[in-house]
Amino acid sequence: MSREEHEQLRSSFVNIIEKNFQMQVPKAVLWGSYNLTKILQKTQILEDPYLRNSFASIIPLMAAPPAMESPKHRNPYREFMLRREFRREFFGELDEERPTYIILDFVEERYGVIEKDGCYLTKSDALAESGFDFHGWRDIPISSETFWQLWQDACRLLAEELKRRPFLQGIILVENVLAERYGDIHQKKVFKNIEEIRTINRCLKKMYQFFKQCCQGINGLQCIDFTSDELYITDEEFEYGCCPWHLNEIVNQKIADEIQVSL
């Protein structure tokens, strides 16, 4: 569907909801993980693919775009997200859509980045699945000091860009990390690669803290953290795989309820 057709459909849907259910449907741009989209589906926000940014991280976002076309992908949605990162469309999207909220987590930072001739890309599974040629690219993992220095610089620039957009009434930071356990409400087990998960989680926690420091003075900044909840686990039977970056529907609902309060 074209962008214009999609916007007409979105407008019609919002009008029906607001007219018949006497509730507002805030416009929110999402930056972050697939699990964050699952959370937003439990709120009154219209979880719109055209307002999503996935398989992306902020080091490439704040760097110059690559001098190449984005790769094709057998999954049209993933191809769309890759194109967004390659073209650095995020801020243009904000200015065009003028959302009330931006809702973000940093779980996609787990991928790390790759660099070649000063160009940065997120080393996501979507990029790997596309058949992208990684030869000649430098691998910069999330746990490296190089990544952390690059990320801090990018985070400062991101915060400044957000401050320049007064139409943003709220920035909702959902401090998601990787689940360390999986199972169900009755039995929980620890992931085998627990030390790797904990290393990534320490990096993510450090990022959330730094982002909050950079965003001091921004009105409407709200932070949501359920990582200490007993049910912060992956559903063992989740249809898209029992992976640490997926949470179960109970804790997703808890986070969604907290977002609702923030709107």
Side-chain angles (χ1 to χ4, degrees):
M1 182 180 290
S2 72
R3 182 67 175 256
E4 292 74 19
E5 291 173 318
H6 187 89
E7 287 178 348
Q8 291 175 9
L9 177 62
R10 180 204 299 162
S11 178
S12 297
F13 185 85
V14 169
N15 288 339
I16 289 171
I17 295 296
E18 293 187 342
K19 178 181 177 181
N20 292 281
F21 295 93
Q22 290 76 52
M23 60 185 290
Q24 289 188 322
V25 182
K27 182 182 284 189
V29 164
L30 178 150
W31 176 275
S33 64
Y34 169 76
N35 197 83
L36 191 56
T37 71
K38 298 288 288 183
I39 291 168
L40 291 192
Q41 288 168 4
K42 300 177 182 299
T43 72
Q44 69 196 64
I45 293 171
L46 178 59
E47 200 283 292
D48 181 346
Y50 270 96
L51 301 178
R52 285 189 215 158
N53 298 266
S54 302
F55 307 106
S57 53
I58 70 170
I59 293 173
L61 173 65
M62 305 312 302
M68 65 181 80
E69 290 295 319
S70 59
K72 299 295 183 181
H73 197 290
R74 65 179 181 272
N75 181 309
Y77 173 73
R78 292 191 169 204
E79 182 175 319
F80 178 44
M81 290 297 130
L82 288 173
R83 186 164 64 249
R84 286 199 148 174
E85 176 172 71
F86 271 64
R87 295 179 181 177
R88 311 298 199 237
E89 293 182 349
F90 179 68
F91 294 113
E93 173 191 347
L94 284 183
D95 293 334
E96 181 176 346
E97 295 288 350
R98 299 181 69 83
T100 306
Y101 296 95
I102 176 172
I103 303 174
L104 66 163
D105 72 12
F106 293 146
V107 174
E108 303 291 74
E109 301 288 348
R110 73 184 186 274
Y111 292 119
V113 297
I114 53 174
E115 180 272 338
K116 184 178 183 181
D117 299 328
C119 173
Y120 294 91
L121 295 171
T122 306
K123 194 182 179 183
S124 67
D125 53 9
L127 185 64
E129 292 165 358
S130 73
F132 183 83
D133 184 5
F134 289 90
H135 180 72
W137 289 79
R138 177 172 59 130
D139 190 11
I140 307 177
I142 184 177
S143 58
S144 68
E145 184 60 27
T146 299
F147 183 96
W148 177 233
Q149 294 302 322
L150 289 168
W151 197 91
Q152 288 178 92
D153 292 341
C155 186
R156 293 187 188 98
L157 293 173
L158 173 61
E160 290 303 314
E161 288 291 342
L162 296 179
K163 290 175 184 177
R164 293 192 186 104
R165 288 164 170 83
F167 53 79
L168 284 172
Q169 297 179 23
I171 300 172
I172 301 175
L173 179 67
V174 182
E175 299 182 45
N176 282 332
V177 299
L178 303 183
E180 297 186 2
R181 299 174 299 161
Y182 65 97
D184 55 35
I185 60 173
H186 304 293
Q187 186 177 16
K188 305 170 187 66
K189 292 162 275 190
V190 175
F191 279 105
K192 290 182 179 179
N193 61 331
I194 184 61
E195 291 307 319
E196 177 185 354
I197 291 172
R198 286 174 175 166
T199 296
I200 292 173
N201 285 347
R202 284 192 292 269
C203 295
L204 293 175
K205 286 290 189 179
K206 188 164 61 170
M207 290 175 189
Y208 290 127
Q209 186 61 35
F210 190 81
F211 179 80
K212 288 185 283 188
Q213 292 173 3
C214 290
C215 290
Q216 286 181 356
I218 296 182
N219 291 330
L221 174 63
Q222 301 180 68
C223 305
I224 297 172
D225 183 358
F226 273 82
T227 56
S228 60
D229 192 286
E230 178 63 23
L231 285 178
Y232 200 89
I233 65 172
T234 298
D235 180 357
E236 189 170 18
E237 301 298 327
F238 184 58
E239 59 181 325
Y240 295 126
C242 181
C243 304
W245 46 89
H246 296 150
L247 298 173
N248 66 83
E249 292 297 86
I250 296 175
V251 77
N252 279 345
Q253 184 66 62
K254 290 182 178 183
I255 298 171
D257 291 345
E258 195 67 22
I259 291 174
Q260 282 288 127
V261 174
S262 302
L263 299 178

